[in-house]
Amino acid sequence: HFDCLHLLGVICIQNGQAAQAVAFIDRAIALHPGNPSFHTHRGIALTELGQRQAALASHDQALQLQPNHAEAHANRGIVLRALNRLDEALASQDAALRLRPDHAEAHYNRGLVLRGLGRPAEALASFDHAIRLRPGDVAAHFNRGQVLMALQQPEAALASHDETIRLQPRHSAAHCGRGDLLMGLRRPSEALASYEEAIRLQPHYAHAWGNRGNALRELAQLDAALASYDEAIRLQPGYVEAHTNRGNVLRELRQLQAALASYDEAIRLRPDFHEVHSNRGIVLKELGQLDAALACHDTALRLQPGYAGAHLNRGNVLQDLDELEAALASYDEAIRLEPGLAIAHGNRGNVLLKLKRLPEALASHDRAIALQPDLATAHCDRGNVLKDMRQPEAALASYDTAIRLQPDLAKAHSNRGNLLKDLLQLDAARASYDTALGLPTVTASDRDLTRWNKSLLLLVKGEFETGWAEYEARWSQAEFKKIQRQFKQPLWQGKESLQGQTILLTREQGLGDAIQFCRYARVLQERGARVLLETPQPLLRLLQGVDGIAQLIGPGERFPAFDLHCPLLSVPLAVGTDLQSIPSPGPYLRSDSSKVAQWATRLGPRRQPRVGLAWSGSTIHKGDAHRSMALSALLAGLPSGVEYISLQKEIRPSDEAALQASGIRQFSAELEDFTDTAALCELMDVVISVDTSVAHLSGALGRPTWVMLPFSPDWRWLLNRNDSPWYASMRLYRQERPGDWGSVFARIQQDLQQRLL
């Protein structure tokens, strides 16, 4: 009997026996082809079998027989949704609901279609209607929660998932979705419990394992997170997000090559996954492969031009490449795309700090903090700006806020130490450095930066033994990596005998450093070495004939054969220099007598005491704002009755007017190299200089040299003394308070009057 056959087919559908159902219903249709319900149920069974086109034909046949068959319209909509023909699917569900407004299943399926069309608010209304008609509809509650998540209503979404679980406690997807919501609400411990319940109910649930890894990562349980991602990948090898997140954890564990491998696998599985390309760029940046990192971020942006994160990360690489204007443009684009991206505002502030645009930098950090008050790095970086703006109390408060928000933020402790060092609160500064170094979370780069900062404190205190050792951490910094030389010959660290060996001393840092430390050539010669010295062009003629130097090598010249090498400022560590064993504090440079005679003629007869002046150094020096001064400020502190001679090779535009209006004689265009400056120093009664190469030159010549020092001096000038163990002819004039040149000028004026006038 055809009705019995149809009924058997329906029972088979309910029991999950779709193939048997089709067989029964086909026999019923053969006996009675004009019944639309037979065709509709045949379509349902075929849908279960995945035969969607055949199922669609069955529903169409039912509607041809009975156009107002609501069930056929509703089920036709289900098939069309499975075929991703969403607009047609919506029309079918709407047709079903016009015929039967109380069709709960049609309201539910209409919600699924609207969700697929990206219309979550309308989808929510459909799910709500379905639930009003059928309050116990588990699937409707679950999907309602998913839509509320898309609408960024996490608390309401959580309530829907909780209701789903109340109705069906073993609903593993609801437990997993609940975990996702709790992660968004920054409740990772509760999220972890939800994921673990989902896994208990469904042990092979790869998505739950992957998201469990996210919760563990948030809880800083990185090894456990890695194991969770590994299990997700074992269950689902093509799980791209798990490979990606695994790479993120490996990056945090500093297993950078392994992180790259995970990202590469994610890219192999999904080449257009823009986020992974950018993450890969982050790792390459940390590996120092800046050009390759930049290419990764550019690929990410080619795939997704509106990806704010890639613009942010691209800016970070450009900042490391010292392409500051380009970095600023990248941060600005990230902010344009995502105005609330606090870290982009913060990093923008860091670039503006490097560009010396301090008020703008402060405004950027303030904006970052307004967007994310608990962003510890923004408070820390704000402190750096305030420090350079000479607002130490406000800077210290910013560092303290950063540490309160994130006690293990090593750079906040280290930067706090720098500020305290500048205030000469050295014991407190040392404690801050030691705290940073003792943090278990400190990265290798932060550790090395802190060691270098601490070395400057140790050296300025005269603790040379440990200071020189820590000073080697400078090679981890980007500015030093650029100049670090790599040779096949061994690096000399003081252990091997130099007897009969040729050693190359390589240049680093400024001209003053080369003048100060070339004295070590004689020390190494006395140990049996033949000494080669790499020398900057302006010093080549000056350093000819320095005791102990067998050969000078200028820029671009090929190195002769050598056995060992050592950076010039690493020699004191290698030879074990302490305060009592500083070599050659007396004159160790000699001026060219012919040059002295030429300049004596150029200066003419001496009618007054002659004083050489150098009031500013290189603008690219990190501490230039503290060590250099405006000429107008110096002029106000100089007594009359003296012939003043400028020893500056470079005159800043801001000083030109004051120089022309003063009585200072200046010869910057005639100073070919340091042999001319040395000759002028020989003709001076006193050389007065800020902490720059002229001070080192005059001191190395043994000329009376008075050096004007900021409150917190460079390490080589030590503390609380008016002489220098490096230069016997030198007298030091220190600021009594930060920025207070007035007291320095007063003492210099008094001494000039007593000694020369």
Side-chain angles (χ1 to χ4, degrees), residues 424-469:
L424 297 188
Q425 298 179 29
L426 300 186
D427 290 339
R430 189 170 191 164
S432 280
Y433 292 142
D434 288 342
T435 297
L437 292 170
L439 292 170
T441 56
V442 65
T443 64
S445 59
D446 282 342
R447 179 183 296 107
D448 288 338
L449 178 58
T450 303
R451 285 181 56 214
W452 183 40
N453 288 331
K454 184 180 177 182
S455 78
L456 304 180
L457 181 148
L458 295 169
L459 291 171
V460 81
K461 291 183 70 177
E463 298 180 23
F464 281 4
E465 182 178 356
T466 51
W468 295 128

Side-chain angles (χ1 to χ4, degrees), residues 407-429:
D408 64 349
L409 184 59
K411 72 174 185 176
H413 291 281
S414 184
N415 290 346
R416 183 177 187 272
N418 293 342
L419 175 63
L420 292 167
K421 179 170 70 68
D422 286 352
L423 295 172
L424 297 188
Q425 298 179 29
L426 300 186
D427 290 339

Side-chain angles (χ1 to χ4, degrees), residues 79-269:
V79 176
L80 287 165
R81 174 175 167 269
L83 290 168
N84 204 33
R85 292 160 60 179
L86 299 183
D87 290 321
E88 296 172 76
L90 183 61
S92 283
Q93 298 298 347
D94 286 344
L97 289 169
R98 279 194 298 273
L99 294 165
R100 271 186 57 193
D102 62 346
H103 195 316
E105 190 70 19
H107 282 291
Y108 167 71
N109 285 310
R110 183 176 187 271
L112 294 179
V113 173
L114 287 164
R115 183 182 170 198
L117 286 166
R119 294 157 62 178
E122 296 170 79
L124 180 63
S126 284
F127 291 136
D128 284 344
H129 207 143
I131 289 167
R132 280 196 297 273
L133 293 166
R134 195 163 58 188
D137 189 338
V138 173
H141 282 287
F142 175 72
N143 282 285
R144 180 180 187 271
Q146 298 295 99
V147 167
L148 285 164
M149 189 187 304
L151 288 168
Q152 296 184 347
Q153 299 181 37
E155 294 290 357
L158 191 62
S160 276
H161 282 304
D162 286 343
E163 181 62 13
T164 303
I165 292 166
R166 187 188 69 79
L167 292 167
Q168 188 176 324
R170 298 185 63 79
H171 197 302
S172 58
H175 285 285
C176 189
R178 185 176 187 273
D180 295 344
L181 286 161
L182 289 164
M183 283 293 290
L185 291 167
R186 297 188 177 186
R187 293 156 63 181
S189 296
E190 296 171 75
L192 180 62
S194 284
Y195 293 135
E196 291 183 340
E197 179 62 13
I199 291 166
R200 186 186 68 80
L201 294 167
Q202 190 178 334
H204 298 94
Y205 195 170
H207 182 75
W209 279 103
N211 286 3
R212 177 181 181 269
N214 296 343
L216 289 163
R217 179 187 175 201
E218 191 69 21
L219 292 166
Q221 300 179 36
L222 298 185
D223 291 328
L226 190 62
S228 206
Y229 293 134
D230 287 342
E231 180 63 13
I233 291 166
R234 187 187 69 79
L235 293 167
Q236 187 178 324
Y239 190 173
V240 176
E241 290 78 6
H243 286 286
T244 301
N245 291 328
R246 182 178 186 273
N248 296 340
V249 166
L250 287 165
R251 187 178 81 225
E252 291 182 42
L253 288 168
R254 312 304 302 163
Q255 299 178 33
L256 299 183
Q257 294 296 340
L260 273 184
S262 277
Y263 292 144
D264 288 343
E265 180 62 13
I267 290 169
R268 186 189 69 79
L269 292 165

Side-chain angles (χ1 to χ4, degrees), residues 193-483:
S194 284
Y195 293 135
E196 291 183 340
E197 179 62 13
I199 291 166
R200 186 186 68 80
L201 294 167
Q202 190 178 334
H204 298 94
Y205 195 170
H207 182 75
W209 279 103
N211 286 3
R212 177 181 181 269
N214 296 343
L216 289 163
R217 179 187 175 201
E218 191 69 21
L219 292 166
Q221 300 179 36
L222 298 185
D223 291 328
L226 190 62
S228 206
Y229 293 134
D230 287 342
E231 180 63 13
I233 291 166
R234 187 187 69 79
L235 293 167
Q236 187 178 324
Y239 190 173
V240 176
E241 290 78 6
H243 286 286
T244 301
N245 291 328
R246 182 178 186 273
N248 296 340
V249 166
L250 287 165
R251 187 178 81 225
E252 291 182 42
L253 288 168
R254 312 304 302 163
Q255 299 178 33
L256 299 183
Q257 294 296 340
L260 273 184
S262 277
Y263 292 144
D264 288 343
E265 180 62 13
I267 290 169
R268 186 189 69 79
L269 292 165
R270 193 189 301 172
D272 61 350
F273 195 174
H274 58 277
E275 185 178 337
V276 186
H277 286 282
S278 194
N279 288 352
R280 189 173 187 275
I282 294 171
V283 171
L284 288 168
K285 174 182 176 291
E286 294 183 16
L287 288 169
Q289 300 177 38
L290 298 182
D291 292 332
L294 192 62
C296 282
H297 299 311
D298 287 342
T299 298
L301 290 171
R302 178 176 54 79
L303 294 168
Q304 182 69 27
Y307 180 25
H311 285 288
L312 167 68
N313 292 324
R314 185 174 186 273
N316 295 342
V317 176
L318 289 165
Q319 190 173 173
D320 278 5
L321 287 167
D322 283 334
E323 298 182 27
L324 300 183
E325 294 293 349
L328 192 62
S330 280
Y331 293 137
D332 286 343
E333 182 62 13
I335 290 167
R336 186 188 70 79
L337 292 165
E338 195 173 328
L341 190 59
I343 193 169
H345 289 278
N347 290 359
R348 181 179 186 271
N350 293 339
V351 170
L352 289 165
L353 172 61
K354 291 181 179 179
L355 291 169
K356 309 298 183 186
R357 292 159 59 178
L358 301 183
E360 294 173 78
L362 185 62
S364 277
H365 290 307
D366 285 343
R367 180 60 181 154
I369 291 166
L371 290 167
Q372 191 176 335
D374 63 348
L375 184 59
T377 54
H379 289 280
C380 177
D381 295 336
R382 182 177 184 269
N384 296 341
V385 177
L386 289 164
K387 176 175 177 285
D388 277 15
M389 293 179 80
R390 301 188 182 183
Q391 299 181 36
E393 294 83 3
L396 189 61
S398 280
Y399 293 139
D400 288 343
T401 298
I403 291 166
R404 177 178 57 79
L405 290 168
Q406 188 178 335
D408 64 349
L409 184 59
K411 72 174 185 176
H413 291 281
S414 184
N415 290 346
R416 183 177 187 272
N418 293 342
L419 175 63
L420 292 167
K421 179 170 70 68
D422 286 352
L423 295 172
L424 297 188
Q425 298 179 29
L426 300 186
D427 290 339
R430 189 170 191 164
S432 280
Y433 292 142
D434 288 342
T435 297
L437 292 170
L439 292 170
T441 56
V442 65
T443 64
S445 59
D446 282 342
R447 179 183 296 107
D448 288 338
L449 178 58
T450 303
R451 285 181 56 214
W452 183 40
N453 288 331
K454 184 180 177 182
S455 78
L456 304 180
L457 181 148
L458 295 169
L459 291 171
V460 81
K461 291 183 70 177
E463 298 180 23
F464 281 4
E465 182 178 356
T466 51
W468 295 128
E470 293 296 279
Y471 193 61
E472 291 300 295
R474 69 191 184 279
W475 297 113
S476 66
Q477 305 308 304
E479 63 192 276
F480 287 95
K481 284 180 180 178
K482 293 176 185 176
I483 62 172

